[in-house]
Amino acid sequence: MDDVNLPAGRPPLVLTVAGSDSGGGAGIQADLKTMLALGTHGMSVIAAVTAQNSLGVQGYWELPEEAVRAQYRSVVDDIGVQAVKTGMLASTALVETVAELLAATPAPVVVDPVGVSKHGDALLASDAVAAVRTKLLPTATVVTPNLDEVAQLTGVRVTEEDGLREAAAAVLAHGPRWVLIKGGHLPGEAVDLLTDGTEEHWLRAPRHDNRHTHGTGCTLASALAASLAKGLDVPAAARAAKEYVTGAIAAGFPLGAGLGPVDHGWRLGIR
């Protein structure tokens, strides 16, 4: 993709379609913080509302399909977008609605196939997994599953780095252009595999001894979308996103009685 041509003074435009995290560490809130930190203008379509804090998800409520569609059309038809990122979509109906909207939007799409929260709470109905595979993944420029999400979507279970290639191939079989398999749950350094089935990029970073990592997946996907909106190609955008999220994890801070969030403002020197 060539550099994005924008009116003077206007930042690149990025839209997140996801769930709201009342605790502010993940979801829409993490997405918008990341987009701001990386010099883009973040906009939002809220697909679900969660009651969530540092201890877990106490409940969630989906928005009606017509509310999601209206939010999306309101933003895209008037303001426009240079990239779209999806997160928690909760139900089959919402997955299908969002997939239809994305298919008609001429902008790169980053799909974070959110299935389970950091605390192990389900954020996607079990009967919606098939719709993610068949409807949502084919719209993706890049899909960013962690190893639990790979298993949920494909049945492939990865226990060591050598298994990342098999996982990537299984996800690519469902139609995304690129896949970024996040290997953060493996022992050793934090390694991810980005591939389109032809070229491979291994993204490595030191593992930080910090338990406050809430919002890592949302943050990585949003950083990737922000970099795509700024005109970077997929490998360069993935490297930039990996660098940003590694710093955010290192600066993660305690909040409440459980897992605190990564620090989305770590580069800004505001804490």
Side-chain angles (χ1 to χ4, degrees):
M1 181 170 26
D2 297 329
D3 289 342
V4 175
N5 294 316
L6 296 172
R10 197 186 84 181
L13 307 173
V14 190
L15 176 63
T16 171
V17 185
S20 168
D21 173 3
S22 54
I28 290 281
Q29 287 80 355
D31 297 342
L32 294 176
K33 292 173 188 178
T34 299
M35 292 167 187
L36 177 63
L38 294 179
T40 64
H41 175 70
M43 304 169 291
S44 64
V45 172
I46 298 176
V49 175
T50 71
Q52 186 172 174
N53 56 27
S54 70
L55 298 173
V57 179
Q58 291 77 48
Y60 73 80
W61 299 265
E62 304 157 26
L63 267 70
E65 297 162 56
E66 57 268 28
V68 171
R69 187 182 299 276
Q71 290 177 82
Y72 191 97
R73 291 263 61 95
S74 178
V75 171
V76 173
D77 293 348
D78 173 50
I79 301 172
V81 291
Q82 270 78 55
V84 183
K85 176 262 180 186
T86 72
M88 176 189 179
L89 298 179
S91 70
T92 297
L94 290 181
V95 170
E96 292 178 344
T97 296
V98 171
E100 177 188 339
L101 292 165
L102 293 173
T105 303
V109 174
V110 178
V111 170
D112 183 14
V114 174
V116 178
S117 77
K118 178 72 70 177
H119 302 87
D121 302 297
L123 297 175
L124 180 71
S126 59
D127 63 3
V129 175
V132 173
R133 288 192 205 101
T134 62
K135 304 292 187 181
L136 189 62
L137 294 190
T139 71
T141 307
V142 192
V143 59
T144 63
N146 63 30
L147 299 184
D148 291 335
E149 291 157 352
V150 168
Q152 183 182 47
L153 291 168
T154 70
V156 173
R157 298 191 177 277
V158 178
T159 58
E160 56 187 7
E161 186 177 314
D162 288 347
L164 294 178
R165 283 194 178 96
E166 179 187 2
V171 176
L172 285 171
H174 294 292
R177 286 174 49 199
W178 291 82
V179 60
L180 177 61
I181 304 291
K182 298 179 293 191
H185 293 170
L186 297 176
E189 64 181 346
V191 57
D192 306 327
L193 172 60
L194 173 73
T195 180
D196 64 354
T198 301
E199 59 182 276
E200 291 184 351
H201 302 267
W202 293 85
L203 309 179
R204 300 179 184 276
R207 184 177 299 278
H208 295 288
D209 184 19
N210 186 353
R211 65 189 292 264
H212 301 299
T213 57
H214 182 50
T216 305
C218 303
T219 300
L220 178 68
S222 294
L224 182 50
S227 291
L228 290 174
K230 292 193 284 189
L232 275 66
D233 63 21
V234 171
R239 287 191 293 270
K242 177 77 168 181
E243 179 185 0
Y244 172 75
V245 79
T246 299
I249 290 170
F253 53 90
L255 197 69
L259 296 177
V262 301
D263 185 354
H264 300 96
W266 69 274
R267 280 182 172 168
L268 305 179
I270 58 178
R271 283 206 312 116

